[in-house]
């Protein structure tokens, strides 16, 4: 245990692991104020700036842990962030859209502004749209956190709702992505005073431009904040009324994350989500499916030893055929005379497909990973961290395009439309 | 709308480019097949497959050709020809197609690099689900 006395307007960088207790005075940590008797923790691998407030008297802190505290020469958070937070609060700018390339500190900025608003007694919704680098909710989902209490790390905020995309990139899932944003924005608007939308860093090229313009159309934000190094985002707001656009320079402390580290960070969140997963089996007769051809047609009998299960789909869609081994072109050609286009799916290929588990009202309960579709027993075997009582409510599954093993590790992809 | 909503047009552009980029149709076909093979490994990322397409073909020194490489050989005289390398001798290259050439008569050789995805996108390499 170490005691530390801070003077007015001093800034310290606390590197975890470290527990801090405020003995006297008030400090601000990423916009969250901690007064006398309050405590906060900085986990290993994290760093946070701790500032004494100009209005605060003498500040005494008690620290414990293996981390370190070092004094900074000057404030790393620009003063403009504070005036912006005030503007949002005073002018009741309810929907705030944050745009920035990757590694521009969007999550840190979101945390800071949220805490400033929470300090004023507001309820703040945070919609995390970064499906590949999720803070709120597991990877491959859009996450909504409704925050009434200050927090230091966005990743520790529990998701109040998620929307399943099933991919770590919106690229081939734009419709789902925008639908999810619309759904969660509507939900958040009814439950919060302010909504901050933290976006992906995909801002260039056809897809990046299109998705950001569509977001602006769907959300109709009261304020668009550009976190940019120079002018790299200006093309996105050319037609947005100037009074609705606020420009901020990217902090010099924002650092680049490598492709490898991004995967590690993503997997840490996913592994944490799937921690304690158990194996479950649900009769296929009890399940309805979305985002798949499987279980959307009528089961048909195909007299071929390679065929395990087959479903005639609608109109020109043909027939989905689960096979033990691939049909030869001649076999497939012969079958197509009676069953239309033959869509072959090799049994076993369903392993590790990430699925969302929904109740009968289409409310998403959580995620799972398929182990096997067993046509002999007529059951879907999967792993999920959900408790048994929630699993009993599952009657709809949504298929994703990414694969996750039962411990949350990434295992690749499945072609959209394959099943 | 003038934006495409996914990267498939870009991938098709690269397939078209590759199909006409080399003086030997057999080699062009192998390049096209390799682009498709990459896409099948990352079916959610047609843009990555398109990006990798630029790095599939590389020029190497004839001496470092290996058995099994698919190569396009430009002789100092005559038409380029392609094929799978059967063997590489001290001063001679034999292709499985029974064509051969003395190393001294080679102007340049191109090969298909089958490890582009591993080199550029190691985080997208996963074991095959069987």
């Amino acid at each position: 245990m170490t005691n530390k006395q801070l003077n007015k307007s001093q800034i310290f960088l606390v590197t975890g692991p470290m527990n801090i207790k405020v003995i006297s005075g008030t400090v601000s940590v990423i916009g969250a104020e901690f007064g006398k008797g309050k405590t906060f923790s900085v986990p290993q691998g994290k760093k946070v700036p701790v500032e004494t407030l100009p209005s605060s008297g003498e500040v005494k802190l008690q620290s414990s842990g293996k981390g370190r505290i070092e004094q900074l020469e000057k404030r790393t958070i620009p003063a403009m962030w504070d005036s912006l937070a005030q503007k949002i609060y005073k002018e009741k700018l309810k929907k705030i859209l944050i745009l920035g390339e990757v590694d521009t500190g969007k999550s840190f900025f979101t945390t800071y502004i949220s805490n400033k608003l929470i300090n004023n007694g507001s309820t703040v919704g945070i919609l995390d749209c970064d499906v590949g680098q999720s803070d709120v909710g597991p990877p491959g989902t859009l996450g909504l956190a409704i925050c009434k209490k200050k927090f230091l790390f966005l990743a520790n905020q529990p998701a109040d709702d998620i929307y399943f995309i099933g991919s770590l990139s919106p690229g081939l899932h734009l419709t789902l992505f925008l639908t999810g944003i619309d759904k969660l924005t509507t939900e958040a608007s009814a439950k919060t005073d302010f909504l901050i939308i933290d976006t992906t860093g995909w801002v260039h090229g056809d897809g990046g431009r299109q998705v950001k313009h569509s977001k602006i159309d769907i959300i109709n934000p009261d304020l668009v904040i550009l976190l940019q190094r120079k002018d790299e985002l200006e093309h996105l707001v050319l037609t947005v009324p100037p009074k609705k656009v606020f420009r901020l320079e990217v902090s010099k402390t924002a650092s680049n994350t490598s492709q490898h580290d991004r995967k590690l960070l993503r997997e840490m969140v996913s592994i944490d989500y799937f921690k304690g997963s158990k194996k479950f089996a649900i009769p296929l007769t009890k399940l309805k499916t979305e985002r798949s051809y499987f279980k959307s047609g009528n089961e048909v009998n195909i007299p071929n030893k390679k065929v395990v299960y087959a479903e005639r789909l609608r109109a020109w869609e043909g027939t989905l055929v689960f096979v033990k081994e691939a049909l030869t072109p001649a076999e497939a050609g012969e079958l197509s005379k009676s069953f239309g286009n033959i869509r072959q799916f090799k049994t076993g290929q369903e392993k590790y497909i990430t699925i969302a588990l929904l109740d009968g009202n289409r409310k998403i309960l959580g995620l799972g990973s398929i182990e096997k579709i067993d046509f002999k027993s007529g059951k879907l075997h999967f792993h999920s961290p959900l408790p048994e009582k929630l699993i009993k409510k599952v009657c709809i599954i949504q298929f994703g395009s990414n694969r996750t093993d039962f411990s949350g590790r990434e295992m690749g992809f499945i072609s959209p439309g394959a099943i | 709308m003038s934006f495409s909503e996914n990267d498939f047009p870009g991938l098709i552009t690269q397939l078209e480019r590759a199909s006409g980029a080399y003086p030997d149709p057999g080699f062009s076909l192998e390049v096209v097949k390799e682009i498709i093979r990459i896409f099948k490994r990352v079916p959610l990322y047609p843009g990555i497959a398109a990006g990798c397409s630029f790095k599939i073909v590389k020029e190497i020194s004839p001496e470092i050709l290996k058995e099994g490489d698919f190569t396009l050989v430009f002789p100092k005289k005559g038409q380029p020809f392609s094929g799978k390398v059967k063997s590489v001798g001290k001063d001679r290259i034999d292709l499985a197609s029974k064509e051969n050439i003395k190393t001294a008569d080679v102007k340049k050789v191109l090969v298909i690099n089958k490890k582009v995805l591993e080199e550029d996108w190691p985080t997208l390499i996963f074991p095959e689900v069987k």
Side-chain angles (χ1 to χ4, degrees):
Chain A
M1 235 29 114
T2 311
N3 287 325
K4 200 163 189 74
Q5 188 163 327
L6 314 182
N7 297 326
K8 252 187 198 178
S9 303
Q10 274 190 323
I11 320 287
F12 288 82
L13 186 68
V14 177
T15 304
M18 189 71 97
N19 296 311
I20 307 277
K21 183 175 183 182
V22 181
I23 305 297
S24 65
T26 304
V27 292
S28 173
V29 188
I30 322 181
E33 291 178 13
F34 293 85
K36 184 181 173 184
K38 300 291 180 191
T39 59
F40 60 91
S41 298
V42 183
Q44 187 155 12
K46 296 279 186 186
K47 292 177 183 181
V48 294
V50 175
E51 318 174 58
T52 60
L53 295 181
S55 57
S56 175
E58 185 185 66
V59 176
K60 280 185 186 166
L61 301 178
Q62 196 173 64
S63 63
S64 62
K66 290 179 180 169
R68 62 179 192 275
I69 302 178
E70 56 198 310
Q71 190 173 349
L72 297 176
E73 283 181 13
K74 57 179 182 180
R75 198 171 184 236
T76 52
I77 295 170
M80 192 179 270
W81 288 21
D82 296 314
S83 48
L84 178 59
Q86 274 196 333
K87 175 185 166 76
I88 292 168
Y89 182 72
K90 280 186 180 165
E91 296 179 20
K92 294 188 170 56
L93 304 174
K94 194 171 163 63
K95 288 183 283 184
I96 316 294
L97 180 66
I98 300 174
L99 302 178
E101 288 186 303
V102 291
D103 295 326
T104 48
K106 295 188 291 292
S107 295
F108 184 86
F109 177 74
T110 298
T111 304
Y112 189 83
I113 295 294
S114 300
N115 279 327
K116 285 286 184 185
L117 295 169
I118 291 167
N119 286 341
N120 287 325
S122 305
T123 300
V124 178
I126 298 170
L127 174 53
D128 182 357
C129 302
D130 200 345
V131 286
Q133 222 61 56
S134 309
D135 282 311
V136 181
T141 65
L142 303 173
L144 172 66
I146 295 174
C147 310
K148 293 180 178 173
K149 291 180 182 170
K150 61 198 167 199
F151 60 94
L152 297 189
F153 304 103
L154 198 47
N156 293 347
Q157 288 304 101
D160 290 89
D161 199 2
I162 57 174
Y163 187 86
F164 184 58
I165 306 295
S167 166
L168 302 176
S169 158
L172 293 191
H173 298 75
L174 280 189
T175 314
L176 288 180
F177 187 67
L178 296 171
T179 304
I181 287 173
D182 182 48
K183 189 170 179 283
L184 294 180
T185 302
T186 305
E187 181 184 340
S189 294
K191 297 178 178 172
T192 60
D193 301 312
F194 297 95
L195 174 63
I196 300 177
I197 299 113
D198 187 6
T199 59
T200 67
W202 191 27
V203 293
H204 295 126
D206 283 27
R209 285 173 178 247
Q210 180 61 43
V211 78
K212 290 297 182 285
H213 286 310
S214 296
K215 268 186 204 173
I216 290 170
D217 275 349
I218 287 172
I219 295 164
N220 189 21
D222 299 301
L223 189 66
V224 181
I225 297 174
L226 308 183
L227 273 169
Q228 55 185 353
R229 292 188 168 87
K230 201 180 165 197
D231 57 0
E232 64 270 20
L233 304 175
E234 295 296 334
H235 59 286
L236 300 174
V237 292
L238 290 174
T239 55
V240 177
K243 65 175 185 180
K244 285 191 170 189
V245 181
F246 200 93
R247 294 166 178 82
L248 289 174
E249 198 179 336
V250 174
S251 164
K252 294 197 171 39
T253 56
S255 55
N256 290 337
T257 313
S258 69
Q259 185 194 135
H260 181 255
D261 284 350
R262 283 184 174 279
K263 183 176 179 179
L264 277 180
L265 289 168
R266 199 166 57 228
E267 279 196 329
M268 272 169 57
V269 177
S270 182
I271 287 167
D272 191 47
Y273 180 82
F274 277 94
K275 195 165 57 188
S277 282
K278 287 182 188 158
K279 183 177 173 177
F280 298 100
I282 296 183
L284 292 168
T285 50
K286 195 195 154 192
L287 282 177
K288 290 180 175 148
T289 61
E290 288 184 1
R291 307 178 189 176
S292 77
Y293 287 106
F294 175 53
K295 279 188 66 65
S296 70
N298 297 318
E299 187 175 347
V300 287
N301 181 36
I302 290 184
N304 183 307
K305 284 182 179 173
K306 293 178 182 173
V307 176
V308 177
Y309 172 84
E311 254 181 56
R312 188 76 167 97
L313 304 173
R314 312 295 171 184
W316 50 264
E317 291 175 340
T319 302
L320 175 66
V321 181
F322 282 71
V323 292
K324 282 188 280 193
E325 60 180 288
L327 298 171
T328 64
E331 287 171 324
E334 189 56 34
L335 287 179
S336 69
K337 289 176 187 168
S338 307
F339 296 98
N341 178 33
I342 299 297
R343 299 165 177 268
Q344 295 186 57
F345 188 86
K346 192 162 174 291
T347 54
Q349 286 294 306
E350 71 275 21
K351 190 173 184 182
Y352 297 141
I353 294 177
T354 317
I355 50 173
L357 306 162
L358 289 78
D359 68 14
N361 295 318
R362 299 188 72 256
K363 178 177 168 47
I364 188 163
L365 303 170
L367 305 188
S369 169
I370 293 180
E371 181 176 319
K372 184 183 182 182
I373 300 173
D374 186 346
F375 292 105
K376 274 189 184 164
S377 65
K379 285 181 177 170
L380 172 75
H381 297 264
F382 63 97
H383 293 241
S384 173
L386 289 184
E388 182 95 39
K389 66 175 183 183
L390 282 184
I391 293 291
K392 283 182 179 163
K393 292 183 178 179
V394 173
C395 50
I396 299 170
I397 59 168
Q398 291 175 335
F399 280 78
S401 304
N402 57 338
R403 297 180 193 269
T404 313
D405 78 5
F406 311 138
S407 65
R409 286 195 170 77
E410 293 175 12
M411 292 300 284
F413 326 95
I414 180 159
S415 292
I419 190 168
Chain B
M1 184 169 76
S2 68
F3 291 137
S4 61
E5 291 192 359
N6 58 54
D7 290 329
F8 282 113
L11 179 58
I12 290 168
T13 301
Q14 294 316 319
L15 287 167
E16 187 183 22
R17 179 191 60 81
S19 70
Y22 306 98
D24 181 280
F27 190 77
S28 292
L29 179 62
E30 288 301 313
V31 177
V32 166
K33 281 185 188 172
E34 181 58 18
I35 297 172
I36 293 169
R37 192 180 76 88
I38 290 173
F39 171 64
K40 285 188 171 176
R41 295 175 73 190
V42 287
L44 304 187
Y45 303 107
I48 286 179
C52 286
S53 72
F54 293 101
K55 297 182 176 177
I56 287 172
V57 176
K58 60 180 183 181
E59 184 178 347
I60 62 168
S61 167
E63 293 80 32
I64 60 171
L65 269 175
K66 298 187 305 291
E67 185 186 333
D69 281 345
F70 200 94
T71 184
L72 177 59
V73 179
F74 291 78
K76 285 178 181 166
K77 288 178 187 171
Q79 290 298 307
F81 56 92
S82 70
K84 196 176 260 192
V85 175
K86 186 180 173 192
S87 63
V88 182
K90 211 172 179 184
D91 52 7
R92 178 189 161 96
I93 301 163
D94 285 285
L95 301 186
S97 56
K98 294 190 177 160
E99 283 175 288
N100 59 68
I101 187 167
K102 285 182 184 168
T103 312
D105 293 335
V106 172
K107 187 175 164 193
K108 71 170 179 178
V109 294
L110 301 179
V111 288
I112 292 176
N113 177 10
K114 298 214 165 198
K115 295 281 179 193
V116 176
L117 197 62
E118 281 82 353
E119 289 163 6
D120 278 21
W121 292 94
T123 57
L124 296 182
I125 305 301
F126 299 99
E128 197 180 337
V129 174
K130 289 176 184 166

